[in-house]
């Protein structure tokens, strides 16, 4: 059978663009459809613009510390509109760059919604139907908005980049990485931030010692927490402000309510059932080790699947699909040693097993820690301390996990993650000469 394309990709985010580019480089005829903007969640409304806001918010702290280093900074002020618009301009630049990548590889792209109509057919919003030997679904995930009265007055991480002004009072519902990152951004920029969460745990899945340290530091920085307190109702006042009922507490006034309670795979209305693609209970697409769905001709990668919701994973999965289908190189992606970071303030980063996970799997483990005050903070009024932690298998001396909180922790962890991936031992770390003076040297000085 002759198809219009060898591969049709639905979704031009990180995974979809990578799969399209690699498939085209193998000689495949490729098309991709994107209903919003080329670049996807990470580039357009996720990790990239959010990290730029983090950088912008860091200047509040840096300028305060400058006087201790001999600098006189007069007339300090902050303009939210300047930061917001600068970030949005960079998003525009990146969209152009991602589009150019598709054009340079002769990938046809349609800026419209596409839905599946069968194992090998897709219908575009224009009404045109096209056929493809293979279909790849890379539509990502969408923020979840809980059902409570007044939720229409709340925003998600999609809208937070477009706020007309910096809010004086922000309520953040949730305590995952998105919630903690935006809580840190607004707190640093001068907003009063209250984090409300339906449980008493923040950053579930990270090592407990890091979570406790982050809670202590952020409370000292002025972030308030209300645990076991889901939002019950939000009312808009005559002056445009909001009144928020959380748990059994008195209502809390706010100017912005940011809901960050998780993301749901973006499969609604895609027509996957017409091709016999099975979905999970949360809309996720179950796939095998080669990213194939229950329909042999349809694949899925990234946040839309039942695996890990991280941009680098989506990129690797998309690359692997293209190599398997058109490069004669089928391979599975390993998910057992994935570094991750939370760009909170201060940031934390982790790779491998937490202490609890290691004890459950290996039983006898050794824990090494370094609890120190970063040199950067010595001249500042902050008494914040960094914490590095190594989790080691007592029987083999192999490092099972590395966990860090402190300035530049994500930048340091990326290199350290290689050690966990390579199954290096604590003796290998001990034999490495320290780079002094640095925070990273703490990794090789724990005894």
């Amino acid at each position: 059978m002759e198809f219009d394309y060898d591969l049709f990709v639905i979704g031009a985010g990180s995974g979809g663009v990578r799969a399209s580019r690699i498939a085209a480089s193998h000689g495949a005829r490729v098309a991709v459809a994107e209903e919003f903007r080329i670049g996807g969640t990470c580039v357009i409304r996720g990790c990239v613009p959010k990290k730029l806001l983090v950088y912008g918010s860091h200047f509040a702290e840096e300028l305060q510390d400058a006087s201790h280093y001999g600098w006189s900074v007069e007339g300090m002020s902050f303009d939210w509109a300047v930061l917001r618009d600068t970030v949005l301009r960079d998003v525009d630049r990146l969209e152009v760059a991602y589009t150019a990548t598709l054009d340079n590889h002769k990938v046809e792209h349609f800026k419209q919604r596409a839905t599946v109509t069968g194992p090998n057919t897709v219908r575009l919003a224009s009404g045109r139907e096209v056929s493809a030997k293979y279909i790849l679904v890379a539509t990502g995930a969408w923020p979840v908005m809980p059902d409570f009265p007044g939720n229409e007055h709340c925003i998600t991480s999609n809208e937070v980049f477009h706020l007309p002004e910096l809010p004086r009072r922000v309520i953040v519902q949730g305590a995952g990485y998105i919630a903690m990152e935006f809580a840190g951004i607004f707190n640093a920029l001068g907003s009063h931030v209250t984090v409300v969460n339906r449980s008493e745990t923040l950053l579930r899945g990270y090592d407990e010692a890091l979570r406790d340290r982050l809670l202590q530091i952020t409370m000292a920085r002025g972030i308030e927490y209300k645990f076991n307190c889901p939002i019950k109702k939000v009312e808009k006042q005559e002056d445009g402000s909001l009144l928020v009922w959380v748990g059994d507490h008195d209502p809390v006034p706010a100017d912005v309510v940011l809901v960050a309670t998780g993301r749901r795979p973006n499969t609604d209305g895609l027509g996957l059932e017409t091709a016999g693609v099975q979905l999970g209970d949360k809309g996720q697409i179950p796939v095998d080790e080669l990213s194939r769905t229950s329909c042999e001709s349809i694949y899925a990668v990234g946040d839309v699947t039942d695996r890990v919701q991280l941009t680098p994973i989506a990129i690797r999965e998309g690359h692997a699909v293209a190599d398997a289908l058109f490069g004669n190189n089928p391979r599975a992606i390993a998910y057992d040693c994935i570094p991750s970071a939370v760009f909170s303030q201060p940031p934390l980063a982790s790779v491998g097993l937490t202490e609890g996970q290691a004890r459950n799997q290996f039983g006898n483990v050794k824990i090494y820690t370094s609890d120190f005050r970063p040199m950067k903070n010595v001249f500042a009024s902050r008494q914040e301390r960094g914490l590095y932690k190594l989790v080691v298998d007592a029987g083999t001396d192999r490092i099972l996990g590395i966990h860090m909180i402190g300035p530049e922790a994500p930048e340091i962890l990326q290199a350290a993650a290689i050690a966990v991936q390579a199954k290096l031992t604590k003796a290998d770390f001990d034999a490495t000469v320290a780079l002094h003076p640095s925070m990273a040297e703490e990794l090789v000085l724990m005894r």
Side-chain angles (χ1 to χ4, degrees), residues 38-54:
I38 291 175
T41 295
C42 181
V43 170
I44 303 300
R45 52 182 175 239
C47 42
V48 171
K50 181 175 57 184
K51 184 68 178 292
L52 293 172
L53 289 183
V54 170

Side-chain angles (χ1 to χ4, degrees), residues 114-386:
T115 55
V116 175
T117 56
N120 301 99
T121 53
V122 171
R123 180 178 293 116
L124 299 172
S126 63
R128 176 183 172 186
E129 189 162 300
V130 298
S131 62
K133 185 175 182 180
Y134 300 106
I135 297 170
L136 175 63
V137 180
T139 49
W142 200 254
V144 173
M145 177 64 74
D147 185 18
F148 54 79
N151 65 359
E152 69 273 14
H153 303 308
C154 304
I155 66 171
T156 70
S157 56
N158 286 353
E159 297 83 36
V160 71
F161 301 103
H162 304 276
L163 291 175
E165 58 188 20
L166 180 68
R168 290 188 303 111
R169 302 160 300 182
V170 179
I171 290 179
V172 180
Q173 180 173 13
Y177 73 95
I178 294 175
M180 295 308 299
E181 288 172 343
F182 279 114
I185 290 168
F186 285 117
N187 171 256
L189 293 177
S191 302
H192 180 270
V193 178
T194 304
V195 174
V196 300
N197 192 36
R198 66 172 55 253
S199 74
E200 57 185 19
T201 302
L202 57 83
L203 295 178
R204 189 181 305 277
Y206 280 88
D207 193 88
E208 186 175 358
L210 269 62
R211 292 189 272 123
D212 289 345
R213 180 62 56 89
L214 181 64
L215 179 61
Q216 295 167 12
I217 292 175
T218 53
M219 288 178 65
R221 290 189 177 208
I223 296 178
E224 292 189 18
Y225 290 88
K226 295 184 184 297
F227 292 115
N228 300 309
C229 291
I231 293 179
K232 292 185 174 180
K233 180 174 65 172
V234 176
E235 287 186 353
K236 193 165 189 177
Q237 308 301 293
E238 291 185 3
D239 62 358
S241 66
L242 303 173
L243 208 54
V244 185
W245 277 259
V246 293
D248 298 324
H249 297 270
D250 292 335
V252 181
D255 301 296
V256 164
V257 177
L258 169 61
V259 175
T261 53
R263 299 174 65 82
R264 187 180 188 276
N266 199 9
T267 54
D268 291 349
L270 277 183
L272 294 170
E273 67 281 354
T274 64
V277 175
Q278 297 175 359
L279 299 180
D281 58 352
K282 296 182 180 179
Q284 73 273 26
I285 304 177
V287 291
D288 65 14
E289 67 278 4
L290 296 179
S291 297
R292 184 168 45 209
T293 71
S294 54
C295 176
E296 290 189 358
S297 57
I298 299 181
Y299 291 69
V301 299
D303 293 2
V304 77
T305 70
D306 58 349
R307 297 180 294 200
V308 179
Q309 292 190 349
L310 287 174
T311 296
I313 295 299
I315 291 172
R316 286 195 168 215
E317 290 171 349
H319 197 133
V321 166
D323 281 347
L325 296 179
F326 306 107
N328 194 29
N329 181 24
R331 66 183 187 279
I333 302 298
Y335 298 93
D336 59 345
C337 189
I338 301 172
S340 63
V342 181
F343 295 99
S344 49
Q345 300 189 32
L348 58 87
S350 179
V351 64
L353 301 180
T354 65
E355 179 179 349
Q357 291 168 340
R359 292 193 187 281
N360 288 337
Q361 292 187 34
F362 292 84
N364 190 14
V365 299
K366 292 182 178 180
I367 304 299
Y368 298 85
T369 61
S370 177
D371 191 329
F372 61 97
R373 188 179 183 191
M375 183 181 291
K376 180 182 179 182
N377 292 345
V378 171
F379 285 180
S381 58
R382 293 181 304 280
Q383 298 299 315
E384 299 171 3
R385 299 182 66 83

Side-chain angles (χ1 to χ4, degrees), residues 56-69 71-78 382:
S57 68
H58 281 176
F59 281 95
E61 183 178 284
E62 301 288 349
L63 289 170
Q64 290 173 7
D65 293 347
S67 61
H68 299 296
Y69 288 90
W71 293 90
S72 296
V73 183
E74 300 176 357
M76 288 191 303
S77 64
F78 173 70
R382 293 181 304 280

